[in-house]
Amino acid sequence: TNQPLIVSSPDQLSEWDRILPGKPVPEYEIPWQVALLDTTYGGLFCGGTHIGEGWILTAAHCFFDEEKQKLKKSQIVVLSGTTNLIWGGQRSVPVIDPITHEDWNPETKANDIALIRISGEVPLEKASLVDSVLESSLISAGSNLRVSGWGTTTENGDISTKLLKADVPVVPTSSCSQAYGGMVNENQICAGKNGVDSCQGDSGGPLAGLDGVGKSVLVGVVSFGRGCGREGFPGVYTRIFKYRDWIQDKTNI
Ligand code: 4AZ
């Protein structure tokens, strides 16, 4: 449909208070970024990344509500081809129910990864998935990765109607795991610093790095965090490289 979405009223925050803090993404800079909208209220519930042939990579926790019931395909619309959540772009519907990882654990948040299949009619650019050699150089502690989304621009704040991006420094898994009481392991990447982070609604969206020729490669999926942008609590991302076989198995990508 071409109905405008119902989103939170535009907030009063300055550009720099957004995605903690974010910069607006120019149109076409991250063309594989999608928004997942819930048809029951028309609003954003997660982000996602087009990885090819109508497959959207996202987070498993996106599809479970408070009662831990899975969202079905009829409750989901995939918005692509726009940085503006309200106007423009294409809307696609999933052709099958979301495929969530078999070992997704809502208590520990382990294996927070999922796939959505949309009909292949929308020509969407795809993100490349990181390989092992590139990955090891991209996730060395202190290097920056880029996260993007329409998520809230402060903890418990409003979502952004414009797609925002932020560069987040990689934090060693050991110290991150300590902060999160042992919940984080080598299947995850931690990134972020005081005031620079992803937040609610960014979940499922891309964490990306640049290869040797400046081409974007997908490294992680926004998963969780204690609050947003808090000192000592970086954002936690699903480490895509560790799920390469799972993705291949489900999608042939
Ligand atoms: C969320 O609630 C969420 N700071 C996502 C990412 C982060 C925190 C919360 C990371 O979806």
Side-chain angles (χ1 to χ4, degrees):
T1 78
N2 282 318
Q3 294 296 310
L5 297 170
I6 299 150
V7 293
S8 339
S9 57
D11 59 52
Q12 306 298 109
L13 298 170
S14 81
E15 216 77 90
W16 303 104
D17 293 324
R18 299 163 177 274
I19 211 198
L20 300 153
K23 284 187 191 163
V25 174
E27 208 72 43
Y28 312 120
E29 188 179 279
I30 312 179
W32 39 81
Q33 169 98 47
V34 304
L36 304 185
L37 312 178
D38 186 330
T39 55
T40 59
Y41 66 100
L44 175 81
F45 69 94
C46 268
T49 305
H50 183 244
I51 58 169
E53 295 159 43
W55 285 104
I56 307 297
L57 189 68
T58 183
H61 82 261
C62 292
F63 305 106
F64 294 85
D65 62 18
E66 307 283 279
E67 291 85 42
K68 299 189 162 56
Q69 204 192 338
K70 204 170 165 178
L71 270 188
K72 298 289 180 196
K73 63 177 179 184
S74 63
Q75 290 162 271
I76 302 163
V77 167
V78 176
L79 175 67
S80 63
T82 180
T83 59
N84 191 306
L85 203 51
I86 302 173
W87 303 110
Q90 300 90 43
R91 282 142 205 266
S92 313
V93 292
V95 292
I96 53 172
D97 287 332
I99 300 171
T100 52
H101 196 285
E102 295 75 9
D103 299 321
W104 153 243
N105 183 325
E107 270 73 53
T108 65
K109 304 186 194 297
N111 308 304
D112 194 6
I113 193 165
L115 288 157
I116 293 176
R117 179 84 168 96
I118 55 175
S119 67
E121 290 154 37
V122 182
L124 251 180
E125 275 195 64
K126 66 178 166 78
S128 325
L129 302 178
V130 77
D131 64 47
S132 67
V133 176
L134 187 55
E135 208 234 20
S136 56
S137 69
L138 287 178
I139 68 163
S140 58
S143 60
N144 279 318
L145 295 171
R146 179 160 291 176
V147 63
S148 50
W150 291 270
T152 62
T153 53
T154 58
E155 255 186 73
N156 308 311
D158 290 332
I159 61 166
S160 172
T161 57
K162 285 184 198 154
L163 181 61
L164 301 175
K165 60 181 178 180
D167 290 336
V168 284
V170 175
V171 172
T173 307
S174 51
S175 58
C176 184
S177 183
Q178 210 161 13
Y180 286 106
M183 253 168 82
V184 173
N185 62 35
E186 295 298 329
N187 294 327
Q188 288 146 316
I189 296 166
C190 297
K193 63 180 180 187
N194 193 6
V196 185
D197 198 2
S198 48
C199 204
Q200 199 169 15
D202 293 320
S203 284
L207 178 74
L210 296 176
D211 72 8
V213 294
K215 188 170 153 299
S216 190
V217 289
L218 191 64
V219 173
V221 174
V222 181
S223 181
F224 74 95
R226 179 164 309 160
C228 307
R230 294 194 197 177
E231 177 82 64
F233 293 99
V236 184
Y237 296 82
T238 308
R239 188 176 173 189
I240 286 168
F241 169 64
K242 296 283 185 171
Y243 295 90
R244 199 61 196 83
D245 291 348
W246 184 82
I247 294 167
Q248 157 87 41
D249 182 50
K250 305 292 177 190
T251 67
N252 272 318
I253 291 169

